[in-house]
Amino acid sequence: MKPRSCHRLLAPIADAATGDAAGPTSAAERAPEYVREIAPYVGGKPIEEVARELDLDPSAIIKLASNENPRGPSPKALDAIAVAARELTRYPDGNGYALKQALASRLRVSADQIVLGNGSNDVLELATQAFLRPGDDAVYAQYGFIVYPLATKARGARGIEVAARDFGHDLDAMRAAITSKTRIVFVANPNNPTGTWLPGRAVESFIASVPRDVVVVLDEAYNEFLDPADQADSTAWVSRYPNLIVSHTFSKAHGLAALRVGYGVMHADIADLLNRVRQPFNVNALAQAAAIAALGDVDYVEESRRLNREGMRALERGLASLGVRFLQSHGNFIMIEARTAMAVYDALLRQGVIVRPLANYRLPTWLRVTIGTPAENERFLAALSTALARSDASRHAH
Ligand SMILES: Cc1ncc(COP(=O)(O)O)c(C=O)c1O
């Protein structure tokens, strides 16, 4: 079985002036070419979908495909959601006052430097909406998070993909790739899907080297999984670099992916621009309440980090004993190599284990696996051992 297929290329646009010279023109055909060329985002396969397609019991399926927190949200966040769910009639606070106050005091910035997003994905999109126009450039790394090219292309801007160094960002080459048309540079630290990470001092000197009229989006979605000693004080950099946007999410370590809430920290002038293009009520009431509670539960995040580290070590040991190559990862996921990656992916699916193929990252011989609970990790390793044997057997049979 293949993941849902890539995009259909729409038919070429008919003659704009006459319409009928090239046949009837549909509304879809008249969409901008740069939109028609976008390959849609392919997410991890949902449990229900796999259950339907393979006739499996959904409760027996584990999903290690979207880098969620296997522990789920903090009980404090769940309590806050239950309280907030009593009032669903009114619109949420469109300015997210209470959440911004909580974030401002935690991060030691002012509330007008924070932009809330429907997931941090929204913040990435808002940055492209505010700064990119057709003809502009955005710079990002090969194997960088796939939303950077998607959001860039959606604005009709040109993406400059800079060759990776050891699967990670080559910051010197990225600096060199900036042109007079470049308006945004994206850096993910740690990066998804590779799990590569750069020390704070390297990232800060990169930001310092970028022209001040180019926005740097520093995406720290997986920051909480780093050892505290490795977590850069990047929000403090915002006061030094007025062109910097640092984005964070409640989807990963805080376990709130379904609610869609994230934020960016930036100079107030930049925040003002992003707020102009933001949907008025982009973060729902349940998400705002849950995020405040999750932010306050520091112990929960710390325990999640500890379990992630233990799970990572367990997977590394298991992979090594299976002879599977993997990349050292600083996130809550790990990239593993398999020559027959799609066959291994299929064989895992049939055993009720969902991981993520990476063909859309042009990494066709790699799979990405999210660190699960100890039981999920064990189950994955056992299923992988079976999958490798099966895909090997089928290779030799041909
Ligand atoms: C590097 C990176 N940035 C941002 C996101 C967006 O996450 P969300 O919109 O849930 O905050 C993801 C999600 O996978 C990610 O991997």
Side-chain angles (χ1 to χ4, degrees):
M1 184 187 323
K2 299 215 163 43
R4 181 161 292 144
S5 76
C6 303
H7 63 307
R8 283 177 304 130
L9 269 180
L10 295 166
I13 300 171
D15 185 298
T18 60
D20 53 358
T25 305
S26 72
E29 287 165 0
R30 297 300 300 272
E33 213 153 326
Y34 55 82
V35 172
R36 289 148 43 90
E37 280 169 359
I38 291 173
Y41 180 84
V42 183
K45 229 173 174 10
I47 287 178
E48 295 296 337
E49 191 176 311
V50 174
R52 265 195 318 275
E53 288 177 358
L54 296 178
D55 201 17
L56 297 174
D57 172 5
S59 67
I61 297 175
I62 59 169
K63 181 176 175 231
L64 303 174
S66 300
N67 301 346
E68 294 128 341
N69 183 338
R71 302 173 71 212
S74 147
K76 292 180 180 160
L78 292 176
D79 289 347
I81 292 166
V83 172
R86 291 187 207 136
E87 171 50 78
L88 297 178
T89 311
R90 296 179 207 294
Y91 283 100
D93 176 355
N95 289 317
Y97 177 84
L99 175 54
K100 279 198 206 169
Q101 289 299 321
L103 286 167
S105 80
R106 167 68 62 83
L107 303 169
R108 281 169 283 131
V109 296
S110 73
D112 63 1
Q113 291 182 263
I114 298 168
V115 174
L116 301 181
N118 191 291
S120 60
N121 202 123
D122 194 18
V123 177
L124 306 175
E125 296 275 354
L126 292 174
T128 62
Q129 232 176 303
F131 290 102
L132 292 182
R133 52 171 92 73
D136 289 340
D137 291 344
V139 171
Y140 43 77
Q142 180 188 20
Y143 313 137
F145 182 44
I146 206 152
V147 164
Y148 312 149
L150 282 178
T152 299
K153 287 171 189 166
R155 309 287 156 224
R158 182 174 71 120
I160 301 180
E161 184 183 282
V162 178
R165 186 199 289 168
D166 297 333
F167 289 93
H169 291 47
D170 182 342
L171 293 180
D172 291 337
M174 288 178 74
R175 171 67 191 84
I178 293 173
T179 70
S180 59
K181 291 184 177 165
T182 303
R183 301 270 62 87
I184 300 189
V185 181
F186 290 99
V187 175
N189 202 36
N191 182 50
N192 168 28
T194 54
T196 48
W197 169 80
L198 295 159
R201 60 182 178 284
V203 178
E204 193 190 352
S205 45
F206 170 74
I207 297 164
S209 78
V210 172
R212 287 292 179 273
D213 62 345
V214 176
V215 171
V216 178
V217 176
L218 175 59
D219 177 347
E220 295 193 329
Y222 298 97
N223 182 61
E224 289 87 350
F225 294 109
L226 295 170
D227 282 342
D230 288 337
Q231 293 178 12
D233 194 6
S234 47
T235 39
W237 299 343
V238 168
S239 59
R240 294 203 275 284
Y241 307 103
N243 53 334
L244 175 63
I245 297 176
V246 182
S247 65
H248 281 262
T249 184
F250 286 96
S251 300
K252 307 298 179 185
H254 297 94
L256 292 170
L259 283 186
R260 312 305 300 124
V261 50
Y263 60 94
V265 184
M266 63 211 81
H267 191 284
D269 289 350
I270 304 264
D272 178 46
L273 288 168
L274 264 57
N275 277 321
R276 290 178 201 211
V277 292
R278 182 176 65 78
Q279 261 190 60
F281 303 103
N282 63 333
V283 182
N284 70 73
L286 305 188
Q288 292 187 31
I292 294 168
L295 192 66
D297 199 344
V298 177
D299 291 345
Y300 194 83
V301 174
E302 196 176 311
E303 180 62 6
S304 298
R305 178 188 309 125
R306 195 186 64 74
L307 272 173
N308 182 63
R309 193 175 44 230
E310 282 185 12
M312 182 73 82
R313 295 294 97 88
L315 279 195
E316 287 174 350
R317 280 192 301 274
L319 292 166
S321 74
L322 289 173
V324 174
R325 182 183 170 211
F326 57 87
L327 289 189
Q328 200 73 49
S329 169
H330 297 266
N332 66 338
F333 52 89
I334 188 163
M335 232 170 76
I336 66 171
E337 192 176 34
R339 259 172 311 162
T340 52
M342 280 317 288
V344 172
Y345 169 76
D346 282 348
L348 285 170
L349 270 191
R350 283 171 204 291
Q351 298 174 80
V353 176
I354 314 174
V355 300
R356 185 77 79 91
L358 295 173
N360 57 338
Y361 278 90
R362 277 174 280 131
L363 290 164
T365 58
W366 293 83
L367 298 170
R368 193 195 65 197
V369 186
T370 302
I371 311 303
T373 61
E376 288 172 336
N377 297 334
E378 268 181 40
R379 183 153 161 221
F380 161 72
L381 286 169
L384 180 64
S385 170
T386 306
L388 289 170
R390 277 189 202 158
S391 71
D392 230 34
S394 75
R395 210 174 53 241
H396 289 134
H398 290 116

